[in-house]
Amino acid sequence: MNITEQDLILKVNIITLTGRLDVTSAPRLRDHAQAKLGAGYTHFILDLSQLEFLDSAGLAALVNLLKNARTQGGDVRLVMPQAEAASRTIYLTKFDRVFSLYEDVEQAKRY
Amino acid sequence: MTDPSGEIERLRNRVQQLEQELDDMTVALAQAWDQLAPLLQDTSQQQATTVTDLTPVLETVMAAIGVDYGAIYLKEMDECFIIPNDPLVGETLKQQLQTIPYTTEPIIIDQIRILQRYSSHWVFMPMLADGTLQGVIGVGVNSNQHRFNSYDMRVLARMTERATSQITAANLAQSRHREARLSHELQIAHQIQLSIQPLHFPTLTQITLAANWQPAQTVGGDAWGWIQQTNGNLTCFLLDVSGKGLPAALAAVSLHTALVMALTLDLNPVETLTIVNDQFYDAYTNAGIFATAVVIAIDPYTGMVEQANAGHPPTLACMDGAWYRWEATAPPIGVLPDLGVECQTYRLLPGDTFVCYSDGFSEIETPDGLWGDAGIVSVLSQALTHPPSMIQAVLQAAESLQQGRSPHDDQTIVIVHYAG
């Protein structure tokens, strides 16, 4: 019998968003995420815990990142916003069926 | 034998005399130029959109100063044009002009080496319009004996002013043309969008329907519609494409058409949303957008309702005097390849009402946070049997909350009352 083994080190990019993720700020997230994807990152944790507001344009930016990451074999995990105005949007639009949701970054890091 | 000191003195006087004559000629030339320049300004004053449009100006300044080269560099377009056309000199010059710091003062470059063979000497005048640097116009010579004098500078400065005014006029004309074209296109898009929103409401004794569609800008990502299906159901829908402006409007029109087609084929709400998700998933993925949509079919005779809701704000239903929320069961169209939307069934009793709206209403910001569906319900307690009045109540409340400001997002609302 032969035993072979290898260690895998997963590079995860943690992006923390504060304030509002809306039609005004969403393009910045898109550009930032695109740059990270271009740099080879495929796994992301988006810390939305301090996000105050999230609209459909912001959700579209999140979905865009998710699709691009999954196309490259990666994934996006969300740390849920504490603000009700932002978390409510995620639940009402059923994005809880799209993203893996976590209470904090440490929980999201666990494989 | 001649007196050396006398001869030196005589030559010195002669040099002084020649210098005086040269100064006089320079002044005379400058005065002649001052008279010529306005004429040049008036003739052939065309708008310049490219560096080649400025060729006449460059040729004039070269002839007036008597130089080997003339060059124009436009910063924004990063274009360099040189007379005589010499790609090698042009490229070398362009590389220099891309990096040098610009001021309002003339720029003198003493040596631009071309393939180590020879060097040229240049003076450039910045083209400034409203304090913004448009580029530079310059002249160059191969001989290092040539020194640019005040006359050269004056000619160059005058012609640079002229070229700058041509560029400014062209930029303004282009900008106005673009604005006019964009405005015209937006108006056409608005008319197309308006044309797909129903002008008339169904005339059924059992059901009263009223609606209002208001894009935040000239065009928007919201749309709504209704259709009487051959099975007798009255089916209405409301959709909201993420984003704003023309891209969202274009997506809204195509999605609206797809929903109408599917419903015309008598598909039920779940089938309808599933088939449009299948159809639009790739396109929405490429465009980086999605669309929320709710489709509700009502049997006028039994009051049975079927709803399919993909990521849209919950339908607010007042049934037997109590308010309920019919929430989405799937994410928006274009998010997942398999939509997985569920059919929600309810039974309306005579007197029941339901309200579909876009998030342009629920996300109105109030001093106490977002208006939300609770805010909408709070203004609907009056006249629950008369949808047009209910619509007016919501619009008035929204307008009051927005305090005269334009809405941030498209606002669409559909209200259905079931009389049985």
Side-chain angles (χ1 to χ4, degrees), chain A residues 32-67:
Chain A
H32 183 84
Q34 200 56 45
K36 291 297 170 188
L37 285 160
Y41 286 97
T42 54
H43 288 74
F44 296 87
I45 293 174
L46 264 71
D47 182 0
L48 310 182
S49 58
Q50 300 305 310
L51 200 65
E52 294 163 11
F53 179 75
L54 176 63
D55 73 358
S56 60
L59 286 171
L62 296 179
V63 171
N64 198 43
L65 174 59
L66 179 74
K67 286 179 175 177

Side-chain angles (χ1 to χ4, degrees), chain B residues 1-11:
Chain B
M1 193 173 171
T2 54
D3 174 9
S5 60
E7 182 62 11
I8 290 168
E9 185 59 28
R10 191 183 68 76
L11 288 172

Side-chain angles (χ1 to χ4, degrees), chain B residues 1 8 15 20 42 56 105 109 131 153 158-160 167 261 301 315 332 347 349 363 366 416:
Chain B
M1 193 173 171
I8 290 168
V15 168
Q20 183 60 50
D42 292 340
E105 298 301 313
I109 302 179
M153 295 297 191
R158 286 296 177 98
M159 295 314 285
T160 302
I167 290 172
M261 291 298 291
Y301 299 102
T315 301
R347 180 162 193 166
L349 297 174
E363 290 180 358
T366 76
V416 173

